[in-house]
């Protein structure tokens, strides 16, 4: 089972890298340990595109490596505290997605100018503003989880994003959608003209039609098929 989970985290990491979430060695995704011991997450010091199953380890709520090896991410509390606060969450992604970070820093709310943002809106995507520094303590991790509430995404303003899902596959796809939505919004607003976007009722209908769980699973399968396997590790 742990091998399977390590492979999932490695695949998630490489998909995130391929779709514009890489920021040198920063950013990470995690999957809940089925035995409740913590979060399977990539070790510190590797780029998302470099992650193999052997570079994924299990970290508990106190930051101790329970299984595997490697240095622990400073920001592991984002994962462990959200998993503790949200029993419905099985996967967490934190990256410094460039367009989403820029949009949040501009103070803009995410608007459904195309399909992607309808996955999140309504409600509005919460904004965490307590600090733009690293989330390195359980207290800050708990504050992030509180700000996230029941949502599927959060802006860490002037820092990055967090997305969650019932499993890591969904959380990963959500991260890709959030970045895509932000990029489309920035392009729309930069162009000028008279921007339009969906009303809440249409957003909810589009969410059901486009991003229902079956469609999300098929999108994940596509992402896996197109993920680079390379010669890593
Ligand atoms: Zn970060």
């Amino acid at each position: 089972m742990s091998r399977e989970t390590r492979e999932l985290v490695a695949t998630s990491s490489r998909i995130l890298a391929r779709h514009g979430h890489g920021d040198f060695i920063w950013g990470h995704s995690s999957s809940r340990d089925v035995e409740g011991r913590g979060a399977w997450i990539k070790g510190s010091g590797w780029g998302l595109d470099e992650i193999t199953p052997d570079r994924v380890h299990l970290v508990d709520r106190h930051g101790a490596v329970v299984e595997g090896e490697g240095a622990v991410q400073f920001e592991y509390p984002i994962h462990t505290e959200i998993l503790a606060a949200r029993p419905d969450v099985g996967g967490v992604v934190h990256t410094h997605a460039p367009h989403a970070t820029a949009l949040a820093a501009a103070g803009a709310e995410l608007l459904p100018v195309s399909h992607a943002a309808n996955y999140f809106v309504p409600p509005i995507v919460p904004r965490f503003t307590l600090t733009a520094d690293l989330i390195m303590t359980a207290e800050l991790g708990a504050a992030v989880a509180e700000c996230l509430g029941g949502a599927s995404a959060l802006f860490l303003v002037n820092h990055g994003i967090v997305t969650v899902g019932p499993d890591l596959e969904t959380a990963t796809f959500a991260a890709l959608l959030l970045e895509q939505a932000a990029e489309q919004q920035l392009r729309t607003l930069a162009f000028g003209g008279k921007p339009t976007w969906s009303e809440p009722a249409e957003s909810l209908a589009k969410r059901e039609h486009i991003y229902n769980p079956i469609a999300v699973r098929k999108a994940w399968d596509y992402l896996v098929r197109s993920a680079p396997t390379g010669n890593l590790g």
Side-chain angles (χ1 to χ4, degrees):
M1 192 62 198
S2 71
R3 181 74 198 175
E4 222 171 80
T5 308
R6 285 170 191 250
E7 281 174 4
L8 172 61
V9 174
T11 301
S12 161
S13 301
R14 294 203 303 272
I15 286 172
L16 287 164
R18 186 185 174 97
H19 291 270
H21 286 252
D23 180 17
F24 304 104
I25 56 167
W26 294 285
H28 22 84
S29 63
S30 72
S31 185
R32 182 190 290 277
D33 180 58
V34 288
E35 294 173 42
R37 296 175 294 170
W40 290 90
I41 184 170
K42 81 178 178 69
S44 179
W46 302 106
L48 283 165
D49 56 318
E50 297 182 297
I51 302 306
T52 58
D54 291 343
R55 291 170 182 167
V56 175
H57 56 202
L58 174 59
V59 175
D60 72 13
R61 210 171 165 183
H62 307 290
V65 176
V66 179
E67 248 187 71
E69 45 196 58
V72 177
Q73 298 286 347
F74 285 133
E75 296 193 292
Y76 77 88
I78 293 174
H79 301 262
T80 50
E81 294 306 316
I82 287 175
L83 291 174
R86 289 277 300 271
D88 60 311
V89 166
V92 179
V93 173
H94 165 56
T95 70
H96 304 157
H99 297 91
T101 304
L103 187 75
E109 270 182 27
L110 189 69
L111 298 173
V113 299
S114 66
H115 285 345
N118 294 294
Y119 184 86
F120 308 97
V121 180
I124 63 164
V125 176
R127 295 163 55 84
F128 183 80
T129 56
L130 189 59
T131 178
D133 200 353
L134 302 185
I135 308 301
M136 296 194 292
T137 65
E139 289 71 23
L140 279 174
V144 169
E146 190 182 343
C147 183
L148 177 67
S152 56
L154 165 117
F155 291 122
L156 292 171
V157 178
N158 302 125
H159 175 175
I161 61 162
V162 174
T163 59
V164 302
D167 46 49
L168 182 54
E169 293 91 328
T170 306
T172 304
F173 184 57
L176 268 49
L177 283 178
L178 185 59
E179 173 64 357
Q180 184 188 58
E183 182 175 8
Q184 288 166 335
Q185 181 171 337
L186 289 167
R187 286 181 181 220
T188 302
L189 299 185
F191 188 79
K194 296 177 183 171
T196 58
W197 51 86
S198 293
E199 292 299 320
E202 184 173 74
S203 288
L204 292 172
K206 290 181 76 171
R207 189 180 306 170
E208 174 60 27
H209 296 151
I210 304 165
Y211 301 122
N212 61 70
I214 293 170
V216 169
R217 175 54 59 166
K218 287 181 178 172
W220 169 261
D221 290 345
Y222 161 73
L223 290 168
V224 172
R225 291 197 301 276
S226 61
T229 48
N231 295 315
L232 296 171

